[in-house]
Amino acid sequence: MRSTQIRETFTDFFVSRDHQPVPSSPLIPDDPTLLLTNAGMNQFKPYLLGETAPPFTRATSIQKCARTSDIENVGRTHRHATFFEMMGNFSFGDYFKEDAVAFAWELMTRGYGLEKERLWITVFEDDDEAERIWRRIGVPASRIQRLGMEDNYWSMGVPGPSGPSSEISYDRGPAFGREGGPAVDGERYIELWNLVFMQTLRGEGPAKKDYPIVGELPGRNIDTGLGLDRLAAILQDAENVCTTDLLLPTLTTVQELAGREYPGEGEEKVSFQVVAEHARSAAFLIADGLLPAKDGRGYVLRRLMRRAIRHARLLGISGPVLPAATASVIANLGDAWPELTARAALIEQVVTAEEESFTRTLAQGTRLLDAAISRTRDGGSAALAGETAFELADTYGFPVELTVEAARDAGLTVDEDRFAALLDEQRRRAKAGGKARTAEALKKLDVYRELAARLPRTEFVGYDRLTAESTVTALLSDGVAEAAAAEGAEVELVLDRSPFYAEAGGQIGDTGILTMGDGTVLEITDTRYGLEGFRIHSARVRTGELRTGAVGEARVDALRREGLTRSHSATHILHAVVMATLGEHARQQGSLVEPDRLRFDFAHFAALTPDQITAIESAVNGHVLDDPAVRAWYADRAEAEAAGAIALFGEKYGDTVRIVDIGDFSRELCGGTHVAHGSQVGSFRLLGESSIGSNLRRVEALTGHGALRHLDTERRLLNELAGLLGARPAEAPGVLRKRLDALAAAQRQLSRLRDEELREQAALLAGHALPAGHGRLVVQRVSGIAPDELRGLASDALARLGRGPAVVVLGSEHDGKALLAAAVSDDLHRGGAEAAGILAEAARAVGGGSGGRGPVAGAGGRRPEHLARALDLAAQKAARLLADG
């Protein structure tokens, strides 16, 4: 059964049993506790926690997942992958264990035709009910095993929904391992389907198995996950996930690049599988908007790509590997996952740039490693320091495996224990920081969750008006619910009705005034979301005392809102123009919408040219002047996508979405505020662009009054410049250009005169050479010499002495500092003489130091009054050198 049929069989089975098919959510989750989407239930977490009422009680999905916790096992086992498709069925307070088990057994044995006698079951050690259900369905007790919290009590890997689980495993036979069931051998008895009876909430703990159960969920739910890769391996009789139809075309591409066949065992087999599997992960992550970075999610992507490149090099592939490997992923899986095809150009650009960058990193790391190996040998040590290996890995991205390999070739070992200790220390620091951030996020969510349980969601009326009669339904101070707040207090408010827009989609939150019926006045300083549909208003009590339940008038700062709407509509226009100018890959990756200014981030592989910047600004202003109508409408998500609406990366959308059209050239899902007609944006001025990361660009622009003020400032500056030049504004550039050309010509003439002067001075210095030992010596104090000229003058004077041993030492005073320079002839330098050595003691005399290697050196210090003494010391050193020579 091919993977396409496996997906269809799964979806059709559950749709026929009243499950709502739900599209996969992106790999970048809208969840502060998760780095990447790691399970099918992630997008349903608000339903499981009771934060949001589900629009259906049964659902099914095929979810894209990324997990790197087992990255070292990729290629070394038959079942591990960093990207996989998780097929799942879900119940939100509807059916529970009995139906979940029955559905799974029927689909596995009838739908997929797996032999009943090869299916094994594990249940949580205390779950008598689950075992009874499996035995009633026909599974003998001999094929049911009980396991503990670590194996059969599922959670997200972070605090959140959890519950006991029951796993279905398939016996692949004695060729794959020992007898004894899943409890004995996970390679032979491969886990396929995990049925989680989601009913509890887990909190923080030192390890997954130690996460405490801190409460019950609002309802009993079902969350299951059937791994497509693993099931495909069984149904296609493939040895491992890389030889299924999901990855075999990519594996074949890697074989072609390596110029040899995929081996049946050994380290080369591991490398083949790592390259193929990681290429798939990279393609999907980039397609979902992730770009490589130094930390966070971007580092996960970078690590995957660099690991694939390193293994490609181990296979002898010296040229690019990721462009071809990811192209095969797109060709193979693009029909099932259209975002791969839609982002094909971006994927190619990102992986190409990253591979070129890492190739340079490998070259740089190799040079640094060679130097470290030489130092280690010179020091008589047999082991390369763990600090060196860690610095190469952490600072330069040089893989420790290559460090170990290079050291071994040089007859050295690596202090891997010290390396591991440093790495562990770094991970602990990162984990501690991550836990602190997670704990803070969860603490805040707990407060909001408690409010959401007893309060209705805020009714937002701010699209149509900027004022509303509002009741204060909750009052928070430092995260604690209070009944009242005195004058001067900083608080957070929940209102039953609000005209204030909450920060989302790049648009910052509204500000304004809340005037209560008793005369109490609050300044609203920010508005943001607590939970979905639940607005939190940051405020300061200006006068009076605020009490929960008070009623008053909420009024948005109208001028500020007008500036925000201009900038938000301009952002949509800019997005459309950037894609039209640069290509479909140049999609928005982030934005900041402020009054009369905006910041816009987008994916692109090169800096914009001046012509492109001009073209983009001109096109945006052209659309504004055309005065297109701006229209907002609502539809379900599928209808919106079918209509070509662009969904922005990282934004969370419900089943019913708001679409904003600007003319016939821009259509985006958006909950923000906008102008009614394009001309209301006013002026648009693009200030410039910059890089904010690998393959990520940023432009900043001004709109409305901000653009007009900027133009006025530029006009005043031009008039002032024209006045200084004695020219009309239109003539100023030409006049200035002529004067700059004349200045450059004068500077060139001065430079030629200075060069002649220095040559004459070098000749005079050479004429003052005195015999010393077996050669000649010049020691002189000079004046009127700039710091960057002194060493050149010493070299030039030395050259004029001709053949034979010679030394030139010069001293000068400049800006209250003593300067020294020395030059030694080639024959002395070949004999081991260093110019810096001549100046060492002299430099200390003037309170400085000297360094470097070579026939010419410089030194300096802050005690110019000792310059004469320094020259005497240098002369003595030079004379001894010439006497020995």
Side-chain angles (χ1 to χ4, degrees), residues 21-77:
V22 179
S24 172
S25 63
L27 285 166
I28 294 82
D30 184 20
D31 186 332
T33 69
L34 287 176
L35 195 65
L36 296 169
T37 299
N38 65 2
M41 56 74 61
N42 288 172
Q43 65 174 316
F44 303 123
K45 184 179 171 183
Y47 305 157
L48 299 170
L49 291 172
E51 296 172 356
T52 304
F56 34 72
T57 58
R58 299 182 177 196
T60 184
S61 70
I62 299 176
Q63 174 66 51
K64 299 176 291 187
C65 296
R67 294 181 193 169
T68 57
S69 55
D70 293 317
I71 190 171
E72 300 298 335
N73 289 325
V74 172
R76 300 190 180 280
T77 71

Side-chain angles (χ1 to χ4, degrees), residues 248-333:
L248 186 57
T250 305
L251 190 64
T252 301
T253 297
V254 179
Q255 292 179 73
E256 292 169 353
L257 293 170
R260 58 182 181 279
E261 294 295 315
Y262 168 66
E265 58 185 4
E267 290 300 313
E268 280 198 354
K269 178 182 180 182
V270 173
S271 293
F272 271 107
Q273 292 183 204
V274 166
V275 177
E277 199 281 330
H278 288 4
R280 178 177 65 169
S281 298
F284 273 92
L285 287 166
I286 296 167
D288 272 5
L290 196 60
L291 293 170
K294 293 181 179 178
D295 52 24
R297 294 174 175 133
Y299 182 71
V300 174
L301 173 60
R302 172 160 285 168
R303 183 186 180 198
L304 286 167
M305 289 196 285
R306 291 188 166 190
R307 197 164 185 264
I309 295 164
R310 185 179 68 81
H311 278 273
R313 300 298 180 263
L314 293 177
L315 292 173
I317 303 173
S318 58
V321 64
L322 286 178
T326 53
S328 72
V329 172
I330 296 167
N332 185 38
L333 299 176

Side-chain angles (χ1 to χ4, degrees), residues 445-651:
L445 283 175
D446 287 341
V447 175
Y448 296 153
R449 196 175 290 126
E450 186 275 328
L451 292 176
R454 60 183 178 84
L455 297 176
R457 299 298 191 264
T458 307
E459 178 189 357
F460 177 61
V461 297
Y463 288 134
D464 303 318
R465 57 184 189 269
L466 299 181
T467 62
E469 183 180 278
S470 303
T471 301
V472 178
T473 58
L475 172 62
L476 299 174
S477 177
D478 293 327
V480 178
E482 303 284 0
E487 186 173 311
E490 304 279 346
V491 295
E492 292 183 333
L493 306 177
V494 179
L495 305 177
D496 66 335
R497 184 181 300 104
S498 174
F500 296 99
Y501 180 81
E503 181 174 347
Q507 181 175 334
I508 62 175
D510 277 336
T511 62
I513 298 294
L514 180 60
T515 305
M516 314 314 297
D518 63 358
T520 297
V521 177
L522 288 90
E523 179 185 358
I524 304 299
T525 57
D526 192 19
T527 310
R528 55 190 170 75
Y529 281 107
L531 297 175
E532 186 177 349
F534 199 66
R535 280 169 164 75
I536 303 295
H537 305 76
S538 298
R540 182 174 64 85
V541 183
R542 276 190 185 175
T543 61
E545 182 184 53
L546 179 68
R547 291 189 171 275
T548 303
V551 180
E553 182 189 61
R555 181 177 297 274
V556 175
D557 182 334
L559 290 177
R560 185 174 180 275
R561 168 70 83 82
E562 287 172 5
L564 285 166
T565 60
R566 283 192 289 266
S567 294
H568 203 153
S569 296
T571 301
H572 281 225
I573 297 171
L574 174 62
H575 190 189
V577 168
V578 165
M579 287 196 296
T581 305
L582 304 177
E584 281 292 315
H585 69 276
R587 293 204 170 205
Q588 178 175 332
Q589 300 294 307
S591 69
L592 177 63
V593 176
E594 295 181 315
D596 295 330
R597 68 181 299 120
L598 64 91
R599 189 177 72 208
F600 181 78
D601 302 338
F602 59 97
H604 193 53
F605 51 89
L608 300 189
T609 66
D611 287 345
Q612 287 174 325
I613 292 174
T614 300
I616 289 170
E617 182 182 75
S618 177
V620 171
N621 280 312
H623 284 305
V624 168
L625 290 173
D626 286 343
D627 194 27
V630 179
R631 180 175 74 100
W633 52 288
Y634 293 85
D636 62 49
R637 180 72 181 270
E639 180 184 352
E641 290 180 349
I646 295 176
L648 298 187
F649 166 67
E651 290 298 314

Side-chain angles (χ1 to χ4, degrees), residues 842-871:
R844 288 193 292 272
V846 293
S850 66
R853 300 170 65 89
V856 182
R862 296 184 177 276
R863 297 205 296 261
E865 65 272 16
H866 297 302
L867 183 58
R869 170 64 177 158
L871 286 171

